[in-house]
Amino acid sequence: MPSTRTKLMQITHDLAIGGLQQVVVNICRSINREKFDVSVLCLRALGEFVPEVEKLGVRVFYLPQKEKGTDYFSFLKVARILRQEQIDVIHTHNTQPFVDGTLGALLSGVKTIVHTDHARDFPDKIRYMVAEHLMSYFAYRVIGVSEHTTANLVHYEKISPRKIMTIENGLDGSRFQIEIDRPAKRKELGIKGSGPIIGLGVRLTEQKGITYLLQAMPEIIKAVPDVTLVIAGDGTLKNKLRHEAETLGIKEHILFLGSRLDVPQLLKLFDIYVLPSLWEGLPMVLLEAMAARCPIVATDVGGNAQVITDGYNGMLIEPRNPQKIAEAVITLLTKIDLRNSYINNALQVFTNRFSADIMTKKYENIYLRLKI
């Protein structure tokens, strides 16, 4: 007897470590399996989250890339998979998946196309914006992860307000509400002494503004000499940031960890999470920090202000300003009562607004074309 479940395929670049990918993983983890048969299609690579997704019983498909050049006909391969798997709904994430997924869906008879934009620095390349505008005609809904992202899609890509809506990111908070042996974790990472730890876990790209955090460190070290900055993640700026730390004379206070899968443990180790981004949608890392009871300093860009209310559950500062970063970090490191107040308020905000269950239920209703 054929299954009555809706066959949903999430289409993404990859399942590497990143905020977009975590949204895919959280949907896979929390979706109603009695109503949905979910799978994932990766268009560029696989990634660190593949084992976690497969443990959930979710099948992962992969389209290997051409060794040289761009495969302009990859949508035909997507169509073949969609047809073969008899997919009812696709949910695409960012530009290439939107284009290849939509064209593949049109060729294979998929009934419902849902797309999520996870934010970027607008205006984007003209060819990307034009392509997404055209694909939006065939989408049932286009989702922005923050009101800021949604407004950009309407303004720059001229996507119809009737098709577009905002669904804030969410995650499974239970993974971050753990206890750890802090001295043992410090020893494992090679952190000497018992001084405070500032940390972040992001891709090492220009977007994340890490250079401004490094430039703030000399002032922070002057006020709190035994402080350590832990940077988890990998990316194109890795070597440049290492060199900058050496040039600033702060190398002994900086620890570059590379990509990590123990983020919940790291967040329980950090005394403050600092996100100095230049632009954002609604970053998963802030939700993770809130769930882990780690106080936050973040720049007031994109959807950050939808997560953090300055002076209530964290601190918001202007971007590209090392002095403001230093002042905020020093304030939180020296005022324990303020830190605890932010921690408690942030956990309450997370629980009420940003759980994976809340996010996924909204997507489920869209997949089924129900009102939300």
Side-chain angles (χ1 to χ4, degrees):
M1 183 176 177
S3 172
T4 57
R5 294 187 299 168
T6 298
K7 300 195 76 172
L8 163 70
M9 181 169 279
Q10 304 274 327
I11 304 180
T12 177
H13 293 119
D14 53 50
L15 284 171
I17 295 174
L20 177 160
Q21 293 83 351
Q22 287 188 66
V23 170
V24 175
V25 173
N26 279 305
I27 291 173
C28 290
R29 182 184 292 116
S30 54
I31 199 164
N32 186 335
R33 296 299 184 85
E34 293 182 0
K35 293 182 179 179
F36 294 93
D37 178 4
V38 61
S39 57
V40 177
L41 172 59
C42 297
L43 298 183
R44 289 185 185 172
L46 289 170
E48 293 88 343
F49 284 134
V50 169
E52 184 174 342
V53 170
E54 291 182 332
K55 280 182 183 177
L56 297 169
V58 174
R59 289 182 300 162
V60 177
F61 298 85
Y62 170 50
L63 288 184
Q65 292 292 294
K66 290 173 62 176
E67 289 186 12
K68 293 183 180 180
T70 302
D71 184 358
Y72 293 104
F73 297 98
S74 61
F75 67 90
L76 296 175
K77 300 173 185 174
V78 173
R80 185 163 60 247
I81 292 173
L82 296 177
R83 192 180 300 114
Q84 171 188 307
E85 298 301 315
Q86 299 181 316
I87 299 299
D88 302 305
V89 181
I90 64 166
H91 183 178
T92 62
H93 300 267
N94 281 3
T95 304
Q96 184 201 352
F98 193 15
V99 174
D100 286 346
T102 299
L103 294 177
L106 294 174
L107 290 173
S108 58
V110 170
K111 300 182 183 71
T112 301
I113 299 166
V114 177
H115 175 68
T116 296
D117 189 290
H118 294 264
R120 54 230 141 107
D121 192 22
F122 277 100
D124 203 346
K125 294 178 181 176
I126 291 177
R127 66 178 182 273
Y128 293 166
M129 294 193 294
V130 170
E132 292 197 354
H133 172 79
L134 293 174
M135 294 305 107
S136 72
Y137 284 106
F138 305 103
Y140 170 62
R141 287 289 183 269
V142 176
I143 311 298
V145 296
S146 69
E147 294 295 347
H148 182 265
T149 301
T150 299
N152 277 338
L153 291 171
V154 173
H155 178 73
Y156 290 102
E157 296 193 350
K158 310 303 178 188
I159 293 176
S160 170
R162 289 177 299 143
K163 286 205 170 187
I164 202 162
M165 63 185 300
T166 300
I167 295 181
E168 296 172 326
N169 288 339
L171 59 82
D172 178 6
S174 65
R175 297 175 58 242
F176 299 88
Q177 292 159 10
I178 59 174
E179 296 298 326
I180 67 165
D181 184 335
R182 289 173 62 90
K185 194 65 179 179
R186 292 177 74 104
K187 185 176 180 181
E188 174 196 328
L189 299 177
I191 300 174
K192 300 174 182 177
S194 58
I197 299 173
I198 308 165
L200 75 163
V202 294
R203 293 191 179 190
L204 308 187
T205 61
E206 180 187 0
Q207 174 195 357
K208 300 304 179 181
I210 301 169
T211 181
Y212 300 102
L213 176 53
L214 292 179
Q215 291 169 32
M217 283 302 293
E219 190 71 20
I220 296 170
I221 293 166
K222 192 183 300 181
V224 187
D226 55 352
V227 69
T228 299
L229 169 61
V230 174
I231 300 173
D234 205 346
T236 55
L237 294 186
K238 177 176 65 176
N239 293 332
K240 183 177 179 181
L241 292 170
R242 286 178 180 272
H243 178 72
E244 183 172 10
E246 196 165 345
T247 302
L248 288 167
I250 58 174
K251 181 181 176 183
E252 299 304 314
H253 292 266
I254 313 296
L255 181 61
F256 288 93
L257 294 182
S259 295
R260 305 285 296 197
L261 291 174
D262 60 345
V263 171
Q265 294 181 43
L266 293 177
L267 287 171
K268 298 302 287 189
L269 183 67
F270 296 165
D271 294 287
I272 301 175
Y273 193 97
V274 183
L275 184 67
S277 303
L278 307 185
W279 69 89
E280 283 291 356
L282 198 157
M284 297 293 288
V285 293
L286 293 186
L287 306 187
E288 292 173 346
M290 292 167 72
R293 300 179 61 86
C294 181
I296 295 166
V297 172
T299 45
D300 190 1
V301 297
N304 287 358
Q306 284 183 235
V307 179
I308 302 298
T309 300
D310 183 42
Y312 175 71
N313 63 337
M315 299 181 76
L316 289 177
I317 55 175
E318 65 183 55
R320 305 176 191 270
N321 193 325
Q323 184 60 38
K324 293 295 184 184
I325 294 173
E327 290 172 2
V329 168
I330 292 167
T331 296
L332 279 186
L333 286 179
T334 54
K335 295 185 178 180
I336 296 175
D337 288 346
L338 184 61
R339 286 213 312 264
N340 289 335
S341 171
Y342 288 170
I343 286 169
N344 293 332
N345 292 337
L347 185 59
Q348 185 176 31
V349 170
F350 170 81
T351 303
N352 292 338
R353 286 182 53 194
F354 296 111
S355 75
D357 289 339
I358 293 171
M359 173 190 72
T360 304
K361 182 61 179 176
K362 291 178 180 179
Y363 276 120
E364 286 180 359
N365 288 340
I366 290 174
Y367 301 149
L368 298 174
R369 297 188 177 230
L370 303 175
K371 289 184 178 181
I372 66 171

